[in-house]
Amino acid sequence: MTSWDPDLGLSELPPAEAVRVVRLVADRLARRLAEEIEARRLADDDADPGVPLERDVLGQELLIGEWIAEELGSVSQARMQRGSSRLSDATDGELRRRVVAELFAFGPLQQWMDAPDVEEIDVNSHLHTWVSYVDGRQVDVGQLWSSSTELVAFQKRIALRMGTGEGRLDTASPQLTLQSADGSRVVLVLGGPTEHGISTQPRIAIRRFVLPRLGIGALADAGMFPSDLVGFFEAVVRTGFTVLVSGGPGAGKTTFLVELCGLISPMERLITAEKALLELRLEDYPERHPNVVALHTRQANSEGVGEVAVRSIVELTAG
């Protein structure tokens, strides 16, 4: 069972209280982790930072392991002050497991994040989440959170855990785009009756890139465009023409662009400039692109400084 299951099976705690404890502790730990990430980012520049904490999952887990005992100890203390018994070792261990799952996984969305045939996950509200599959199916999997407020808390945990100091999800910044460890694009939109957001409901949109890189011909075989155009695309790329790829959401722009890049000679040095995230991920396929540099923009931090725009990246690479 996972931490969002209302029947946690913990005899000492009623199901509703168990869910509340897991999410309360997860929220507190997420805030502590975000503060630690920011503190290390602001540390002495002369020190050797090693791997930044925001990209060091093992380091994050070790910190959470140290802190979680304090947080659950506070829960036990509060119970004893109310005249109840402290948490047993078995319950403490189970709560630890569920808190870690809530922090380092995608909670009730994790089962679809793990599915190889899921392409998009759209949380429209706490009542409705739509899952889109690579074969075109769209399924409403129903209610995954008990309230809009609970969904907002889940959003903010994701923002705190996955953020790198530049982005935040609050009234001043009601939309945030992040990238998960597997490369998925995660868009958080603040909303609902208790928030000054930009939507009637809190929303999450996750775009996963699950299609294999099989070549431009495979896209024609899949029906993206007539097979007669394969030779045309090959000629356009190899002669160095400028190509503009456009289309609506889910049209296959990224997939198509990746395969166009696959037509570029491996002898060429490639530099990519993307907005906010690295979605092309050309560096992941050195057999195709052995000499590639991937760059992306960065939004300003909470003090309004540190922004890196696409123009700056282009000017840097052209210089």
Side-chain angles (χ1 to χ4, degrees):
M1 289 183 292
T2 46
S3 62
W4 55 88
D5 191 330
D7 182 14
L8 290 177
L10 301 175
S11 58
E12 295 174 70
L13 300 177
E17 183 181 353
V19 171
R20 183 187 64 80
V21 168
V22 167
R23 287 176 170 163
L24 173 66
V25 173
D27 282 340
R28 289 176 58 86
L29 291 174
R31 284 193 294 270
R32 290 182 68 172
L33 184 59
E35 291 169 359
E36 182 67 20
I37 288 173
E38 184 65 9
R40 295 193 184 190
R41 286 170 56 84
L42 298 175
D44 187 357
D45 292 338
D46 294 332
D48 181 9
V51 178
L53 183 57
E54 61 264 29
R55 296 203 299 270
D56 184 3
V57 177
L58 178 58
Q60 293 181 23
E61 291 178 348
L62 290 173
L63 281 175
I64 293 299
E66 295 175 8
W67 297 337
I68 198 170
E70 302 172 21
E71 299 294 343
L72 290 178
S74 297
V75 172
S76 282
Q77 186 175 8
R79 283 174 55 83
M80 290 189 292
Q81 289 174 346
R82 297 194 304 266
S84 301
S85 62
R86 66 179 296 111
L87 297 174
S88 69
D89 290 344
T91 297
D92 182 274
E94 181 64 10
L95 287 174
R96 286 175 184 242
R97 187 182 72 82
R98 296 172 192 280
V99 168
V100 170
E102 187 80 3
L103 277 172
F104 291 101
F106 273 85
L109 304 178
Q110 188 62 44
Q111 60 180 299
W112 296 290
M113 292 294 291
D114 292 337
D117 58 344
V118 169
E119 193 166 24
E120 296 184 14
I121 304 169
D122 294 300
V123 179
N124 290 346
S125 69
H126 71 283
L127 296 172
H128 298 284
T129 294
W130 287 85
V131 177
S132 301
Y133 294 83
V134 294
D135 62 6
R137 287 180 296 131
Q138 294 184 337
V139 180
D140 183 357
V141 298
Q143 181 173 350
L144 299 180
W145 292 271
S146 63
S147 66
S148 174
T149 301
E150 189 175 280
L151 174 53
V152 169
F154 176 76
Q155 287 180 311
K156 292 185 176 181
R157 279 199 300 276
I158 292 177
L160 287 169
R161 172 170 57 88
M162 294 175 59
T164 59
E166 292 84 13
R168 62 190 190 278
L169 186 69
D170 54 27
T171 301
S173 179
Q175 179 172 313
L176 180 62
T177 301
L178 302 167
Q179 191 160 30
S180 67
D182 69 352
S184 298
R185 180 175 66 236
V186 181
V187 180
L188 308 174
V189 177
L190 198 62
T194 63
E195 303 291 331
H196 296 289
I198 57 173
S199 177
T200 57
Q201 298 289 337
R203 305 183 191 276
I204 304 173
I206 301 175
R207 169 68 168 170
R208 303 180 66 236
F209 301 98
V210 295
L211 293 177
R213 306 190 182 202
L214 301 177
I216 198 77
L219 298 186
D221 294 340
M224 181 174 284
F225 47 79
S227 57
D228 294 347
L229 291 176
V230 170
F232 170 75
F233 292 139
E234 291 175 340
V236 165
V237 172
R238 289 171 182 166
T239 52
F241 284 7
T242 298
V243 179
L244 173 65
V245 179
S246 66
K253 299 183 295 298
T254 302
T255 300
F256 180 53
L257 184 54
V258 164
E259 295 303 352
L260 283 181
C261 290
L263 299 174
I264 299 173
S265 168
M267 302 301 293
E268 295 280 352
R269 175 174 169 81
L270 302 182
I271 301 176
T272 62
E274 301 183 61
K275 183 178 179 181
L277 309 175
L278 296 175
E279 296 184 357
L280 297 176
R281 303 180 74 87
L282 302 185
E283 291 178 314
D284 293 349
Y285 294 83
E287 66 280 2
R288 275 187 168 192
H289 308 289
N291 189 3
V292 60
V293 176
L295 304 173
H296 65 85
T297 63
R298 187 179 69 187
Q299 63 188 92
N301 62 16
S302 56
E303 285 75 38
V305 298
E307 179 182 12
V308 178
V310 172
R311 183 182 182 88
S312 300
I313 295 176
V314 172
E315 290 175 346
L316 172 67
T317 57

